[in-house]
Amino acid sequence: MTSEIEPRTRVPYPDTLTTPLDVEIAVTRTTPRTADAFGLAVAAEGAVPRQLGLSRAALEANGFSAKPGQTLVVPRSDGPTLVAVGIGSATDVDVSRLRDAAAAFTRAAGRRSHLATNLADVGSDLDGVDAAAAAQAVVEGVLLATYRYVGLKNDTSGSPKLEQFTLTAAAAQEKAITRGAARGRVTARAAGFARDLANMPPAYLTARRLADLARQIAGEHGLDIEVYDRDQLEVMGCGGMVGVNQASVEPPRLVKLTYTPRSPKGHLAMVGKGIMYDSGGLSIKPSDAFHQVMKMDMSGAAAVLAAMSTLRDLKCAAKVTAYLVCTDNMPSGSAIKLGDVLTMRNGTTVEIHNTDAEGRLVLADGLSLAVEQAPDAIVDIATLTGAALAALGPEITAVLGTDDGFVDQVKDAAAATDEPVWQLPLETKRYKKLLDSVVADMRNIGGPYAGAITASIFLSQFVGDVPWAHLDIAGPMKVDGDDGWKSKGATGVGTRTLIELATNFRTA
Ligand code: BES
Ligand code: MN
Ligand code: ZN
């Protein structure tokens, strides 16, 4: 008799969302008895909080000078472990620094399950720091520093175990801190969801699967949704989507989401690059460390979907229409070839000179469709060019656009969320000629230089007269190690910027 192999019931690709950041958040007047660790803000000068029970000299003797992000764990025989959290010079403290301090506290607290801190309340004592914004930032810092993608780990014993987080607040600040903390919970959960999507293996998160998740999100968060498949995209003339997808076994999906408040103040459109896996196509990428992270080439679409999920909760006043342009980019016998010409949704013909410049091809269709809705402005977000990473490094997003007023709104949103952006010039007059094609309206790549700019000039041909800004997040889409509120892996960058942009959106 042959031995039998016992079957396993696990489906091939189970749900690996980590339902991130499911933490109970409370605001109280005094340190809760059940807290395991209490983070106390310590400025570089002035009085040391009495609760710490240590003098400035004792702190200094232990190497703690209250530099921003510095922590000192003070064990005690009873009551919560105290953690001194440096916030630097009180006059320089801003919301970003409080977010960083909360993240540092969280990392110092390790696997303790109930954390508490006075950090948000400290914000209210400082010039120019609003208590609600401080509380939001502190909650974001704590939750985002706790984030881990554990969906595929059998052993999660090394991961954070945070269950409860309490902010202590003086009576006068309690309302504002409660309001800010609630907002921080929403924004941090959204960024965590975007991280989950980008961290997920490419076989788990196909375009079809992302569309299914979008349907679920839309149902839960009051969004209208329409999903278009390959045949529909063909009929719609979305030559970029169909072309990039044509070597793939997995079909493409275009996801349109709409958030409509009662009496909308303005209409913003968002477009997210959703390349589920970017092999480069026939212009295949070398098998190096970057190829390895191309499952994250849908980080733009993830940020847009995550941001959309918050708009009802945050009572966004603007109408927001979003397009996720989703497909992978693969080589095969049916791949687009160099020299092929694609016709985009707006009729523009594009000659392919490099199949690895695929993001702009799918975005061309997404932007064209967005323009047809006649929104007041369009923002797109994409892991678009290695050139943006080369120019600005791994921490700064490139922003380019056609309208300085709208680009300024993006800059303000980015500053508030500490997702830094830097504007590059959209030098259409000088560099558009680099995209000239002999046979079509344009080719899909420029020359060897200014790649982030030529990619943006390409995109600008699809936005008509609508004020437009483009975020190239190729650099900050991931971090290689834990860094403050960023946890190793996908960062979910842009999610909080888009939320801030949408909820503060002003028309000219
Ligand atoms: N997804 C990549 C860009 C990228 C590179 C994102 C590194 C994150 C990290 C994009 O599709 C791409 O391949 N761009 C090419 C464009 C080139 C062929 C003009 C690039 O940047 O090399
Ligand atoms: Mn590519
Ligand atoms: Zn790509």
Side-chain angles (χ1 to χ4, degrees):
M1 210 183 95
T2 56
S3 67
E4 275 184 22
I5 298 173
E6 182 196 334
R8 289 278 186 275
T9 53
R10 251 184 136 184
V11 293
Y13 300 122
D15 183 358
T16 59
L17 286 173
T18 59
T19 45
L21 319 173
D22 225 0
V23 174
E24 194 186 314
I25 293 168
V27 177
T28 62
R29 299 279 176 81
T30 55
T31 318
R33 295 232 159 276
T34 54
D36 306 309
F38 187 61
L40 279 159
V42 183
E45 66 283 308
V48 172
R50 208 161 15 90
Q51 256 180 295
L52 201 54
L54 292 168
S55 66
R56 176 79 58 186
L59 288 172
E60 296 274 4
N62 284 282
F64 180 86
S65 52
K67 284 199 288 274
Q70 199 183 10
T71 55
L72 180 70
V73 178
V74 184
R76 298 191 302 172
S77 42
D78 64 1
T81 300
L82 297 180
V83 181
V85 185
I87 56 169
S89 180
T91 50
D92 299 339
V93 172
D94 58 11
V95 162
S96 300
R97 193 174 282 190
L98 293 174
R99 191 184 293 102
D100 291 344
F105 163 51
T106 304
R107 295 203 185 275
R111 302 187 60 244
R112 292 177 173 86
S113 62
H114 184 178
L115 308 187
T117 184
N118 69 342
L119 269 165
D121 206 35
V122 167
S124 65
D125 297 338
L126 301 166
D127 282 350
V129 183
D130 168 71
Q136 179 185 339
V138 168
V139 170
E140 288 171 347
V142 170
L143 294 187
L144 291 174
T146 314
Y147 175 87
R148 299 288 179 283
Y149 183 65
V150 293
L152 289 159
K153 287 203 187 283
N154 284 304
D155 178 5
T156 56
S157 58
S159 310
K161 272 192 9 184
L162 186 64
E163 285 164 16
Q164 227 181 316
F165 175 60
T166 305
L167 289 168
T168 58
Q173 311 300 339
E174 203 171 343
K175 255 212 177 122
I177 286 180
T178 303
R179 181 161 38 87
R183 185 172 166 110
R185 186 165 190 274
V186 170
T187 60
R189 284 175 66 109
F193 176 58
R195 288 178 181 184
D196 262 3
L197 295 177
N199 281 327
M200 217 180 269
Y204 286 62
L205 192 70
T206 59
R208 286 182 294 165
R209 181 84 196 286
L210 184 59
D212 288 346
L213 284 169
R215 268 210 186 84
Q216 190 186 322
I217 296 285
E220 289 166 4
H221 299 276
L223 306 169
D224 290 325
I225 181 166
E226 284 161 67
V227 177
Y228 301 90
D229 66 15
R230 208 207 75 93
D231 290 350
Q232 290 168 302
L233 288 165
E234 195 161 20
V235 172
M236 287 155 68
C238 290
M241 288 287 290
V242 173
V244 172
N245 179 257
Q246 76 190 31
S248 184
V249 171
E250 273 293 328
R253 289 289 184 269
L254 173 89
V255 180
K256 179 186 179 193
L257 295 156
T258 316
Y259 164 76
T260 316
R262 232 167 256 289
S263 34
K265 293 187 183 58
H267 180 191
L268 175 65
M270 297 184 184
V271 182
K273 171 177 173 181
I275 297 297
M276 312 314 292
Y277 183 72
D278 183 9
S279 73
L282 289 187
S283 314
I284 200 161
K285 289 180 184 293
S287 195
D288 62 11
F290 260 112
H291 201 152
Q292 162 74 37
V293 292
M294 282 304 136
K295 66 173 183 181
M296 298 184 188
D297 211 20
M298 33 54 67
S299 297
V304 170
L305 176 58
M308 292 299 289
S309 77
T310 68
L311 300 180
R312 184 182 62 186
D313 285 351
L314 300 182
K315 302 185 171 63
C316 177
K319 173 178 175 173
V320 185
T321 306
Y323 296 87
L324 317 178
V325 282
C326 304
T327 170
D328 40 26
N329 181 28
M330 297 296 285
S332 89
S334 62
I336 27 176
K337 304 169 187 80
L338 306 196
D340 271 340
V341 173
L342 305 178
T343 304
M344 305 306 185
R345 167 72 188 181
N346 78 349
T348 302
T349 56
V350 176
E351 184 185 10
I352 304 304
H353 279 241
N354 188 321
T355 61
D356 201 8
E358 84 297 341
R360 62 198 74 182
L361 303 176
V362 295
L363 289 169
D365 287 331
L367 292 168
S368 301
L369 289 165
V371 168
E372 292 170 30
Q373 302 293 311
D376 296 305
I378 303 175
V379 61
D380 79 74
I381 178 164
T383 47
L384 201 63
T385 65
L389 170 60
L392 299 176
E395 298 204 29
I396 300 169
T397 295
V399 62
L400 300 94
T402 53
D403 181 283
D404 285 340
F406 183 54
V407 170
D408 283 346
Q409 291 193 45
V410 173
K411 288 179 183 171
D412 289 348
T417 51
D418 199 22
E419 296 187 320
V421 299
W422 191 259
Q423 188 172 4
L424 299 178
L426 188 74
E427 282 283 359
T428 307
K429 278 214 187 77
R430 293 176 198 277
Y431 291 160
K432 169 84 189 339
K433 58 177 178 280
L434 298 174
L435 297 170
D436 285 350
S437 161
V438 176
V439 302
D441 296 336
M442 264 198 299
R443 48 188 238 163
N444 77 324
I445 55 168
Y449 310 120
I453 296 172
T454 52
S456 302
I457 293 170
F458 181 95
L459 297 180
S460 71
Q461 303 305 300
F462 299 91
V463 300
D465 298 328
V466 181
W468 162 74
H470 157 66
L471 294 166
D472 191 334
I473 54 168
M477 74 175 186
K478 65 165 176 76
V479 282
D480 295 332
D482 290 345
D483 177 14
W485 49 267
K486 290 177 249 178
S487 298
K488 183 173 177 158
T491 55
V493 65
T495 304
R496 290 182 303 108
T497 297
L498 291 177
I499 295 170
E500 195 70 15
L501 179 69
T503 55
N504 293 318
F505 182 60
R506 308 177 296 275
T507 55

